[in-house]
Amino acid sequence: MKKLFLFCVMGMALEGTGFCEELSYKLFFFMGTVETRRGTETWHKAVLNSVLLPSDEIRTGPGSAAELRDADKSIIKLKENTQLTIQRFDSEESVFKVWAGRIWMRMIRLKYGNMRTSIHTPTAVAGLRGTEFATGVWLDGTSDFFVFEGALG
């Protein structure tokens, strides 16, 4: 009986881990100075393959870059001097805040169908329907949105 209980608990733990990984991003690649933080914790040096969840942040320094991927192989590339917060990432919607710098995204969404994606910057909010786009937040505070495939709403 104890073995059956332990087996069930282990199965639930593994199932929960898989679910968590599906609704998160992993740090797939980085070069240079890249830091992450969870919630309001202090910034710390990035670790390859670390998992980023909603409310986590990542930032790149001068001459640095990073690439995040989710379970569907959607990609977020951060250029140098960029700060990004994953505000929401679930089966209905992805919301990201770009505080500074430039990002490029390719959203696949094979598992979740037609998930909505929103990008927030200090001066704008954009709803995106599509798979490939880029956002830039410049030193003067202006924001640019480039849609390579899809539509900006």
Side-chain angles (χ1 to χ4, degrees):
M1 184 68 160
K2 287 182 182 179
K3 289 181 183 178
L4 178 61
F5 176 75
L6 183 59
F7 180 76
C8 290
V9 170
M10 288 175 57
M12 287 187 295
L14 291 173
E15 182 179 349
T17 302
F19 181 74
C20 180
E21 286 180 6
E22 285 183 7
L23 298 174
S24 63
Y25 278 89
K26 278 192 178 180
L27 183 56
F28 183 77
F29 164 84
F30 73 93
M31 63 177 223
T33 304
V34 178
E35 298 175 308
T36 60
R37 75 173 168 184
R38 178 146 292 152
T40 58
E41 293 178 2
T42 58
W43 291 97
H44 58 275
K45 187 176 178 178
V47 176
L48 192 63
N49 292 319
S50 60
V51 174
L52 291 126
L53 301 168
S55 82
D56 289 353
E57 295 184 77
I58 183 169
R59 70 181 178 188
T60 58
S64 302
E67 183 175 314
L68 305 173
R69 292 192 181 188
D70 72 4
D72 278 341
K73 305 298 184 237
S74 294
I75 300 169
I76 302 174
K77 292 184 180 182
L78 290 82
K79 304 297 183 187
E80 68 177 337
N81 300 317
T82 297
Q83 183 174 340
L84 173 76
T85 302
I86 302 171
Q87 292 186 316
R88 179 177 174 184
F89 183 61
D90 57 37
S91 60
E92 296 176 10
E93 184 176 29
S94 295
V95 180
F96 303 95
K97 174 87 177 200
V98 181
W99 297 94
R102 295 176 292 146
I103 65 166
W104 173 89
M105 302 176 97
R106 179 182 299 253
M107 307 306 279
I108 304 297
R109 301 294 167 244
L110 296 175
K111 290 185 181 181
Y112 308 120
N114 223 357
M115 181 191 294
R116 296 182 307 270
T117 302
S118 299
I119 304 293
H120 297 235
T121 72
T123 58
V125 175
L128 299 154
R129 287 186 218 102
T131 58
E132 189 175 351
F133 45 90
T135 303
V137 178
W138 309 111
L139 292 176
D140 66 359
T142 60
S143 303
D144 290 330
F145 295 90
F146 304 94
V147 180
F148 304 106
E149 185 177 313
L152 183 70

